[in-house]
Amino acid sequence: MNLANKVLVALALGIIVGLGLNFSDLANHPWVDQNIIGGLFHVIGKLFVNSLKMLVVPLVLFSLIPGIIGIGDISLLGRIGTKAIVLYLVTTAIAITTAIVFAAGFGIGKGMSIPSDVSFAGKESSSFSDILIGIIPTNPVAAMANGDMLSIIFFSIFFGIALLSVAKQSKELIGLIEQINAVVMHMVTMVMYFAPIAVFCLVAKAIAELGIDLLAQLAGYVLVLLLALMFHMLVTQMVFLKALAGLDIGIFLKKIRTAQLFAFSTSSSGATIPVTLRTVQQRLGVDRAVSSFSVPFGATINMDGTAMMQGVATVFIANMYGVELGTGDFVMVIATAVLASIGTAAVPAVGLVMLTLVFNQVGLPVEGIGIILGVDRLLDMVRTAVNVTGDAVVTSVVAKSENRMDLDIYNDPEAGMIEDT
Ligand code: ASP
């Protein structure tokens, strides 16, 4: 069995064990809770997520610098960047519009009563100008230490451009960076070997801790959001891929599955960057010139799934509180969600922080977010998978349009597959 299938089996087992623990109420047994769910599952899952996160900064740095050298021409870099930004923003706007249409169509939240004990304290998020200023780090080492992705991308591109200008005298340095890149890529593959056991632990823990009662109470919200997310991932994004790049959808969905499973298990597009990057480069054949920029950039600014949650949540809470939202309000929701997706990190549950911004914009009570808080863990897993799929779709479309995609690799079912040793 290849690794992708093993991860799939691990995921299924994780769901079964998690549900078993949940329904048998074993999840609430102090010993099981402390030693198995909060102990074994938690530690193994965390070790794995940490290993992935550990590779993100070196990977982006050492993949982006040779990526820039590979582009070799600054105007092409500008074109790739512009296309990626426009597509990321457009797809996110389409995603949230779809979500609003679904939620309004189903009229979710209408006539539901507001639980008396809701509370949610909104978190402060940075202003747009601060985010813009922060793109240029005053200290690149600090940016790397903090994992500030936009700053790291900026520094790497700047370094790459400078290196390009002195390439003749710097052949050895370029060779060295290439070698480090190959080593870090190999580290990603090595970490991925541990995925089956880690995915099992992460998923079993998440499902064991899920409040099933709450899920049933909020079934309308959960189901409509899941439906909208699936529609966006399987219809909208795939139409994009086919219409703009003419790529085979079946192959794409098959090859992106591993990255989706990682995203689902870790709930973090950021932690999934190594896997997404490996997948688009080695499985889909996207040239490093495009992918080394587009993937980490997408993981940071492109959040289709997260925006959809905001759309559905806005309609749901507005209906529950009996607040009438007009077309102008919805336009505001879309604009705020798209802008907020640029400024927030790709980590678990950041979508809730963005939702605070959206609610403030249209005057919905922020404490209303407390109603959906309890089911957010599961939805975060699904929407992160949608986010990562969106990154890979846009990366493939941009690469194909610039002739930076190796179709032999794309069409080869075995390309870049991790086999068992
Ligand atoms: N967990 C999501 C991500 O990392 C963000 C969110 O929706 O909260 O992409």
Side-chain angles (χ1 to χ4, degrees):
M1 203 193 281
N2 63 44
L3 189 87
N5 288 337
K6 272 193 180 166
V7 174
L8 200 63
V9 172
L11 177 92
L13 287 177
I15 294 177
I16 294 170
V17 170
L19 285 176
L21 288 169
N22 210 322
F23 281 120
S24 63
D25 215 29
L26 265 177
N28 290 325
H29 188 285
W31 189 89
V32 176
D33 183 30
Q34 236 175 36
N35 296 293
I36 304 293
I37 301 172
L40 192 69
F41 290 174
H42 175 69
V43 172
I44 294 180
K46 264 280 180 213
L47 285 174
F48 180 71
V49 175
N50 284 359
S51 321
L52 283 172
K53 286 187 177 164
M54 167 179 79
L55 298 178
V56 172
V57 176
L59 192 62
V60 172
L61 189 65
F62 293 112
S63 167
L64 194 44
I65 295 171
I68 300 295
I69 307 274
I71 293 177
D73 150 16
I74 314 284
S75 67
L76 180 58
L77 176 67
R79 225 171 47 227
I80 292 174
T82 312
K83 279 186 187 173
I85 293 178
V86 170
L87 285 177
Y88 280 142
L89 297 184
V90 169
T91 46
T92 306
I94 295 175
I96 180 163
T97 310
T98 310
I100 290 173
V101 170
F102 266 77
F106 282 100
I108 51 166
K110 276 198 178 132
M112 273 180 78
S113 56
I114 302 158
S116 52
D117 56 348
V118 291
S119 69
F120 181 82
K123 283 193 203 133
E124 281 290 308
S125 68
S126 325
S127 72
F128 199 63
S129 50
D130 282 344
I131 292 159
L132 218 52
I133 293 167
I135 290 178
I136 302 190
T138 49
N139 180 345
V141 179
M144 287 177 213
N146 295 328
D148 297 336
M149 198 45 69
L150 294 181
S151 313
I152 298 169
I153 291 175
F154 178 84
F155 180 77
S156 311
I157 292 179
F158 193 16
F159 191 93
I161 291 174
L163 191 56
L164 196 59
S165 328
V166 291
K168 275 206 186 79
Q169 305 98 287
S170 313
K171 286 212 171 69
E172 278 159 23
L173 177 60
I174 295 173
L176 188 67
I177 293 175
E178 287 280 6
Q179 285 165 23
I180 299 177
N181 182 31
V183 174
V184 183
M185 256 306 170
H186 193 64
M187 288 171 87
V188 175
T189 311
M190 288 165 82
V191 169
M192 284 173 73
Y193 272 113
F194 293 94
I197 174 83
V199 164
F200 168 80
C201 291
L202 285 166
V203 173
K205 177 172 186 285
I207 304 283
E209 288 175 345
L210 211 72
I212 303 277
D213 298 347
L214 207 61
L215 213 56
Q217 268 169 39
L218 293 174
Y221 167 72
V222 174
L223 290 177
V224 169
L225 179 49
L226 289 179
L227 194 68
L229 285 168
M230 287 306 115
F231 180 84
H232 186 71
M233 190 170 82
L234 298 174
V235 182
T236 313
Q237 286 180 338
M238 292 308 112
V239 168
F240 241 75
L241 190 74
K242 189 81 199 166
L244 298 184
L247 293 168
D248 186 288
I249 294 171
I251 296 178
F252 182 88
L253 283 175
K254 203 152 177 242
K255 293 193 170 186
I256 199 64
R257 203 177 62 197
T258 308
Q260 288 173 333
L261 293 177
F262 273 68
F264 180 83
S265 316
T266 60
S267 291
S268 167
S269 316
T272 312
I273 289 174
V275 184
T276 320
L277 202 54
R278 189 189 181 285
T279 304
V280 297
Q281 287 179 1
Q282 300 184 9
R283 302 269 292 132
L284 298 174
V286 175
D287 192 302
R288 206 170 45 184
V290 176
S291 54
S292 59
F293 161 73
S294 177
V295 167
F297 190 55
T300 316
I301 74 154
N302 182 51
M303 299 193 190
D304 292 7
T306 305
M308 298 189 91
M309 177 277 277
Q310 294 171 47
V312 175
T314 304
V315 174
F316 179 63
I317 302 293
N319 280 345
M320 266 183 107
Y321 280 88
V323 178
E324 282 287 331
L325 295 177
T327 315
D329 293 316
F330 283 124
V331 171
M332 191 62 106
V333 170
I334 294 168
T336 314
V338 172
L339 286 181
S341 67
I342 301 176
T344 37
V347 294
V350 71
L352 292 173
V353 179
M354 293 156 66
L355 195 56
T356 315
L357 277 176
V358 172
F359 274 29
N360 279 334
Q361 263 325 307
V362 289
L364 279 176
V366 170
E367 88 251 13
I369 298 174
I371 300 173
I372 53 170
L373 207 59
V375 291
D376 198 63
R377 180 76 188 83
L378 174 75
L379 296 169
D380 192 6
M381 296 166 85
V382 182
R383 68 180 183 249
T384 307
V386 177
N387 290 347
V388 165
T389 312
D391 301 341
V393 167
V394 169
T395 300
S396 304
V397 168
V398 174
K400 181 78 195 327
S401 74
E402 290 293 340
N403 258 330
R404 293 271 176 174
M405 185 163 211
D406 186 335
L407 289 177
D408 289 339
I409 295 183
Y410 188 91
N411 292 319
D412 174 4
E414 306 290 320
M417 195 134 95
I418 303 179
E419 293 299 339
D420 263 350
T421 44

